[in-house]
Amino acid sequence: MKTSQMLVASVVLLVSGCATVPPDGNVNDPYEHFNRKVFEFNDTVDAIAVKPIAKAYNAVLPSFVQTGITNFFGNIGDSWTMVNDFLQGNVESGVADLARVSLNTIFGLGGIVDFASAANIPRHSEDMGKTLGVWGFPDGPYIVLPLLGPSTVRDTIGTPFDYYGDLWGYTTPVYVRNSGSAVRAVNKRSGLLGATNLLDDAALDKYIFTRDGYLQRRASQVDARIQERQDRIDDAAAAAAVNAVSAVPDEPEK
Amino acid sequence: MNENMDITMNIAIKKMKHRVWSVVTGTALMLALSLNVTAVRAADEAADVLVKRISQDVVDTAKADKDIQSGNQAKVLDLVEKKIIPYVDFQRMTELAVSRNWRDATPDQQKALVTQFRSLLIYTYSGALSQVKDQRLEFKPFRAAADDTDVEVRSQVIQARGGQPIQLYYRLRKTGSGWKIYDINILGAWLIETYKGSFNAEINKSGIDGLITVLTAKNAKLAIAYGKKS
């Protein structure tokens, strides 16, 4: 694929660039000048095309249809989350996601109904960028990707994996895949209408606000995963210690 | 014979152990309860109980109010002013967001910063609240020692539309007049930390007065937007 080759090439450029450019202030954003241009471009595309379509979509489709569409694509995303859970060594979450996807696919009409949430298996989302973070990759400088939006060098390296790990990308015929992808994007944007309106209200400088929010969010998610992994290791050690103690018979059973 | 005696002895020991344990756990439980009661008396209300009460109250009121549901922003502002503001420490929020530049500001500038940031946060929070329709709040187990004066209350917003729950955390500090909220985390980002960068950039560009001007202009714009819709 040509686009993915270009992506890899630009990532290599960015990574090699980050060694020479010192981080600006306490936020790692040496490409701010370039990033702002891409941010403006994304914002313009959004204002002209994506947001109006999302608004219309939101107004026309009844909410239960939107819920169904969110659930359907969410279910497909859950399978990639499951893969990432296992890659992060989080067997418990991986198994929960396996149960989630099976339950919703079989009994939830191919994922349209989200029974798993009702059964207390909440949806969460993992991606390759986070997995790389759990493995110890530093996030690197902030990057705004054309159309895709906020990212970091690490998350950008993860993006092609997320692209190939997305099962919808293998759907045939192609026209179904493409229109499905468009619906998914519009549906996602329409779910964010409230949030972006809020962003307009809250931010003094939308670029800085988005950047700082994104970097904090990603860092806190990766930290939480690493913490959970440490907790699992500690718990396992504690359980082993308890087993070792209780294995010593203090009184005969019979 | 000997074996039988052994067994009865063992049973007796087991029973005794059991009794001792239940006494110990019973005492511990009573102790914990009494401690809890004194803690509640001392601070009137625990931090997690406070957050649960006011957020549930506000969400329920917003859901039930027909004017709010049809977009009456003035009424939302009113609701926020009455039910949330008394429990928020805006002074501390502003200090933390302005961070190292705070000491360089004159008392008048500090006052203006608090006033303007307060308005901005109220507008933003009201904007978020007016979007509440079919969401549900869920609280995670609260972990804090009885003598903690700085705690985190964790909740999440479950959306009827599906998708991932929205993480919503609060940081509270014990003050002379009870617990006060001083930071909110939405989707993993703390509000103060997120504003810090913007404030710092503005101050670097045009000084503390520059930041006050930008905040004032922003609020004036929001005031018009909120006035129009009501």
Side-chain angles (χ1 to χ4, degrees), chain A residues 46-122:
Chain A
D46 183 61
I48 293 174
V50 187
K51 198 178 170 185
I53 296 171
K55 267 180 153 170
Y57 170 93
N58 208 15
V60 169
L61 281 186
S63 64
F64 75 90
V65 178
Q66 293 186 37
T67 305
I69 290 169
T70 306
N71 287 343
F72 176 75
F73 286 110
N75 189 48
I76 290 170
D78 288 343
S79 57
W80 181 237
T81 292
M82 176 189 77
V83 172
N84 278 287
D85 279 330
F86 285 124
L87 288 175
Q88 293 171 16
N90 192 345
V91 177
E92 198 182 321
S93 282
V95 170
D97 283 324
L98 179 63
R100 198 184 152 76
V101 173
S102 331
L103 193 69
N104 284 345
T105 308
I106 298 166
F107 299 105
L109 311 170
I112 294 170
V113 183
D114 182 7
F115 279 126
S117 282
N120 238 335
I121 315 174

Side-chain angles (χ1 to χ4, degrees), chain A residues 57 66-67 70-71 123-125 187 190-191 194-195 198 200-204 208-209 212-213 216-217 220 250-252, chain B residues 10 14 17 120 124 127-128 131 160-161 163-165 187-190 193-195 197-199 201 211 215 218 222 226:
Chain A
Y57 170 93
Q66 293 186 37
T67 305
T70 306
N71 287 343
R123 169 165 288 146
H124 70 124
S125 162
N187 180 65
S190 94
L198 262 188
D200 288 334
D201 279 1
L204 302 181
I208 294 180
F209 206 82
D212 294 359
Q216 256 200 84
R217 171 175 155 77
S220 80
D250 58 342
E251 55 192 70
Chain B
N10 270 331
K14 265 188 185 167
K17 272 189 180 169
L120 180 61
T124 313
Q131 288 169 18
R161 192 177 191 278
Q164 274 189 75
L187 292 164
W190 288 100
E193 193 60 35
T194 311
Y195 269 111
S198 309
F199 280 13
L211 174 60
L215 283 170
K218 179 96 203 165
L222 288 168
Y226 274 71

Side-chain angles (χ1 to χ4, degrees), chain A residues 177-240:
Chain A
R177 180 197 312 165
N178 289 343
S179 33
S181 297
V183 169
R184 171 160 67 175
V186 170
N187 180 65
K188 194 173 174 192
R189 182 66 185 89
S190 94
L192 293 171
L193 281 172
T196 52
N197 287 343
L198 262 188
L199 182 67
D200 288 334
D201 279 1
L204 302 181
D205 179 333
K206 229 165 113 177
Y207 172 81
I208 294 180
F209 206 82
T210 311
R211 176 191 69 194
D212 294 359
Y214 176 81
L215 292 177
Q216 256 200 84
R217 171 175 155 77
R218 295 294 289 187
S220 80
Q221 287 173 337
V222 170
D223 287 349
R225 293 295 96 78
I226 291 172
Q227 183 61 48
E228 280 166 24
R229 191 169 66 168
Q230 193 54 50
D231 289 349
R232 277 197 303 278
I233 293 168
D234 293 348
D235 286 352

